[in-house]
Amino acid sequence: MSKTVGIIAGTGFYDIPGLIDKEWKEVNTAYGTAKVMTGNWNGIPVVFLTRHGAKHSIPPHMINFRANIRALKDSGVSKVVAISVVGGVDTTLKPGDLTLIDDFVDFTSGREHTFFDGTGPEGVQHVDVTYPYDRKIQAALRESAAKQGISLREKGIYAGFNGPRFETPAEIRFAALAGATVVGMTGCPEVVLAREAGIPYATIALIVNPAAGLSEKEITVEDINAALDLGREKTLSIIAGALQTLSN
């Protein structure tokens, strides 16, 4: 079995400090081309993919999720850890906090959200998503965080919206009624495509702002960047500490 670990990241994560022997590659798939960076991180082969491109040039609703997941599959990754930068719907989650995601609610529309649309050789298939996020990967991340004394909340529920605009207060209230604890723009359909492709996948979410209507302030890029600075190193440290386990 391949020991290569896939890392998918979003806003604010355009490189991995400590990744050596870096090489950008374009991977051609039946769904389009995806650009990935290969390298070694703490002695473990890694394939890194930044959803928005190296210069944040791709908006959430135009990400080619199918090409991205297929490219990771074709690159031989055995597991994927995704980093999602999110707003907090649960008011106890503060900017800079981290949470594991256990479930999701998909409010996106117009996205190519399945490999099994009836046009391919697999035909139409119905994939179980009772446990959309891999529990073994979650356990490795949990253990790494505990060893480093980094707080990592659990039982996160992700609400996916299209973007690139932020959600309205009414949309956040609606998501909260569905049980969502965080809200983002890129976790769906990525998690389902990983499941369809047979790649174990888990998400660690970094909260960068209270969701709309939960603070008197409007959401600003400046506040998001400040929260990214609080949480970026912690996020990468947890993943780095779990790599050896994830590669086995």
Side-chain angles (χ1 to χ4, degrees), residues 19-177:
L19 190 68
I20 63 172
D21 301 326
K22 300 177 186 179
E23 184 180 354
W24 283 106
K25 295 182 178 179
E26 289 192 350
V27 182
N28 296 314
T29 77
Y31 306 97
T33 300
K35 193 171 184 179
V36 302
M37 178 188 286
T38 61
N40 282 275
W41 191 10
N42 291 352
I44 304 301
V46 164
V47 179
F48 173 67
L49 189 152
T50 179
R51 299 183 189 95
H52 299 288
K55 296 182 179 180
H56 203 96
S57 58
I58 307 170
H61 67 294
M62 295 184 69
I63 294 170
N64 190 337
F65 292 99
R66 294 197 297 180
N68 286 351
I69 294 298
R70 188 69 232 185
L72 292 177
K73 179 81 170 180
D74 292 348
S75 297
V77 304
S78 60
K79 299 178 181 69
V80 168
V81 178
I83 303 168
S84 286
V85 174
V86 299
V89 178
D90 179 344
T91 56
T92 67
L93 291 168
K94 305 302 180 184
D97 286 352
L98 300 171
T99 184
L100 287 175
I101 303 300
D102 272 355
D103 205 346
F104 70 89
V105 187
D106 187 358
F107 295 113
T108 65
S109 61
R111 300 186 179 192
E112 298 289 354
H113 62 278
T114 181
F115 291 118
F116 303 138
D117 58 7
T119 63
E122 308 91 344
V124 175
Q125 295 190 31
H126 305 284
V127 177
D128 179 79
V129 285
T130 303
Y131 301 105
Y133 301 91
D134 187 83
R135 286 177 285 184
K136 290 183 179 179
I137 301 177
Q138 289 181 324
L141 295 171
R142 190 183 300 118
E143 181 181 2
S144 174
K147 284 182 176 178
Q148 298 179 67
I150 300 173
S151 178
L152 180 61
R153 291 275 292 273
E154 300 194 41
K155 301 187 182 303
I157 301 178
Y158 182 103
F161 284 87
N162 262 5
R165 67 167 177 85
F166 294 115
E167 300 72 34
T168 67
E171 287 171 330
I172 294 303
R173 291 194 296 272
F174 183 48
L177 289 173

Side-chain angles (χ1 to χ4, degrees), residues 196-224:
E196 290 183 348
I199 308 174
Y201 171 105
T203 294
I204 182 169
L206 167 59
I207 291 81
V208 293
N209 60 272
L214 301 180
S215 168
E216 294 182 0
K217 295 178 60 179
E218 293 185 355
I219 300 169
T220 68
V221 173
E222 289 75 18
D223 287 344
I224 288 173

